[in-house]
């Protein structure tokens, strides 16, 4: 049997001492995710492992381990936590199990769009997580509803697999339809790229769709900037692929009526010129100001 045909680990399997697989959760372009039991902690956890057919790719092994080390060392209420990172015999990352559901699943399930106050509160929480990451010297670069888990109004950001320090980056780092123009184009990246990520996530949350027609939210596999996505496809030419390089994002009020201050905050995140977007602190303050008084 070839590696690509190998099934995921079966329930009851022990991928490393002290852990037992309860169920296979999903298989992505390069990862297997498992619901597992930690005997030491007496609790469930999530194990991320490189797929059997991709284990020979050193860049993927390093990518997983790098993310695991960051999430193990970072502590923030709106960021998923890693318990440990294992390098051999195969690289594994053990993450906390989060209650709730991904924002993408929640948006698909809801019959009504979230209230304006819920959109603003989500934005404040995303700003908090991003501010912390920036303080650790990292840009997230892949903010999107499928990378946010929400439980009773509390959001946690997932997935640092394409995170990197500010500075030069290849074209296309991140997920196709969520990229800031400068991510799509390639070149120096700053905190403004994550401000765009917050803005496009809030736009989709408020409106139920992405700002650019023809950009499908189902194209959800992130590219790490090596010239191929995680399913092995080529990255393609920026001018042919990215609508955000060809036209400006429409005002959020063209899709839904929102309070003017909230609409202005979302629109400000999606300005094509990175230098004209608000800072994370400015965005957080603008969103906070739209929330009902908590006195």
């Amino acid at each position: 049997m070839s590696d690509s045909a190998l099934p995921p680990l079966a329930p009851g399997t022990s991928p490393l001492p002290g852990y037992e697989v309860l169920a296979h959760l999903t298989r992505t372009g390069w990862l297997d995710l498992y619901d597992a039991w930690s005997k030491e902690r007496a609790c469930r956890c999530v194990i991320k492992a490189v797929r059997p057919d991709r284990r020979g790719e050193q860049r993927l092994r390093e990518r997983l381990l790098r993310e695991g080390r960051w999430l193990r060392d970072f502590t923030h209420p709106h960021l998923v936590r890693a318990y440990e990172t294992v390098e051999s015999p195969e690289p594994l990352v053990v993450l906390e199990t989060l209650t709730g559901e991904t924002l993408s699943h929640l948006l698909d399930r809801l019959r009504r769009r979230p209230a304006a106050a819920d959109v603003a509160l989500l934005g404040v929480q995303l700003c908090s997580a991003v501010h912390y990451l920036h303080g650790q010297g990292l840009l997230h670069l892949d903010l999107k509803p499928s990378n946010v888990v929400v439980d009773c109004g509390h959001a946690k950001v997932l997935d640092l697999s394409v995170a990197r320090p500010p500075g030069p980056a290849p074209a296309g780092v991140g997920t196709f339809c969520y990229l800031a123009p400068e991510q799509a184009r390639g070149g120096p990246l700053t905190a403004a790229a994550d401000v765009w990520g917050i803005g496009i996530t809030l736009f989709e949350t408020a409106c139920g769709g992405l700002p650019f027609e023809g950009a499908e939210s189902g194209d959800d596999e992130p590219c790490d900037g090596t010239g191929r996505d995680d399913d092995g496809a080529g990255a393609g030419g920026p001018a042919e692929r990215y609508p955000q390089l060809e036209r400006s994002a429409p005002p959020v009020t063209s899709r839904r009526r929102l309070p003017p201050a909230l609409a202005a905050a979302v629109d400000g995140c999606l300005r094509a010129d990175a230098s004209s977007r608000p800072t994370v602190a400015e965005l957080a303050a603008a969103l906070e100001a739209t929330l009902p008084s908590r006195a």
Side-chain angles (χ1 to χ4, degrees):
M1 180 182 293
S2 66
D3 282 345
S4 59
L6 287 174
L9 297 177
T13 303
S14 179
L16 66 156
Y19 293 93
E20 179 182 339
V21 169
L22 301 177
H24 180 246
L25 296 175
T26 189
R27 173 167 280 184
T28 73
W30 66 290
L31 288 172
D32 279 315
L33 275 74
Y34 298 95
D35 181 16
W37 181 258
S38 169
K39 296 178 182 178
E40 177 185 357
R41 298 175 181 84
C43 71
R44 290 167 63 181
C45 57
V46 172
I47 292 179
K48 295 178 74 170
V50 179
R51 280 173 42 164
D53 55 315
R54 308 295 296 272
R55 287 177 184 165
E57 300 181 44
Q58 186 63 24
R59 69 179 184 92
L60 296 183
R61 298 168 64 93
E62 293 173 354
R63 180 174 166 182
L64 177 62
L65 292 172
R66 182 176 65 238
E67 178 191 16
R69 293 185 190 107
W70 284 333
L71 292 176
R72 181 193 61 200
D73 294 341
F74 295 167
T75 303
H76 190 274
H78 297 296
L79 192 65
V80 68
R81 179 187 174 195
Y83 292 137
E84 62 180 302
T85 299
V86 179
E87 296 190 28
S88 63
E90 295 297 336
L92 300 172
V93 173
V94 182
L95 300 164
E96 65 174 326
T97 293
L98 298 179
T99 55
E101 58 191 320
T102 64
L103 179 59
S104 57
H105 184 272
L106 177 65
L107 296 177
D108 286 341
R109 182 175 60 79
L110 291 177
R111 295 184 178 181
R112 295 183 178 181
R113 294 295 156 211
D118 292 334
V119 175
L121 179 60
L122 171 66
V124 170
Q125 295 179 13
L126 295 181
C127 286
S128 179
V130 166
H131 174 77
Y132 176 81
L133 288 175
H134 293 179
Q136 304 299 315
L138 288 179
L139 305 178
H140 187 283
L141 300 179
D142 201 24
L143 293 166
K144 56 188 179 184
S146 61
N147 276 343
V148 179
V149 167
V150 180
D151 181 29
C152 299
H154 185 89
K156 283 202 174 189
V157 174
L158 314 176
D159 197 352
L160 299 184
S161 63
V162 300
R164 62 173 62 211
V173 173
T175 300
F176 162 62
C177 49
Y178 294 94
L179 301 182
E182 62 271 23
Q183 285 176 262
R185 188 182 303 112
L189 299 182
T190 67
D194 281 342
V195 171
W196 174 285
I198 295 171
I200 200 166
T201 300
L202 296 183
F203 190 108
E204 185 171 358
T205 301
C207 303
L210 292 162
F212 299 100
E213 293 181 6
E216 297 296 331
S217 60
D219 184 5
D220 213 28
E221 285 290 343
C223 174
D224 62 2
T226 60
R228 52 182 287 186
D229 65 25
D230 290 324
D231 287 318
E240 302 163 326
R241 183 166 179 181
Y242 300 112
Q244 56 268 57
L245 291 179
E246 300 173 354
R247 55 190 182 276
S248 298
V252 68
T253 52
S254 68
R255 308 280 182 87
R256 177 184 170 179
R257 182 179 297 177
L258 289 174
L262 177 58
V266 175
D267 289 343
C269 296
L270 299 180
R271 292 172 184 150
D273 180 6
S275 65
S276 67
R277 296 174 207 147
T279 65
V280 174
E282 290 168 344
L283 176 60
L287 293 169
E288 187 80 46
T290 70
L291 293 173
S293 173
R294 300 179 186 178

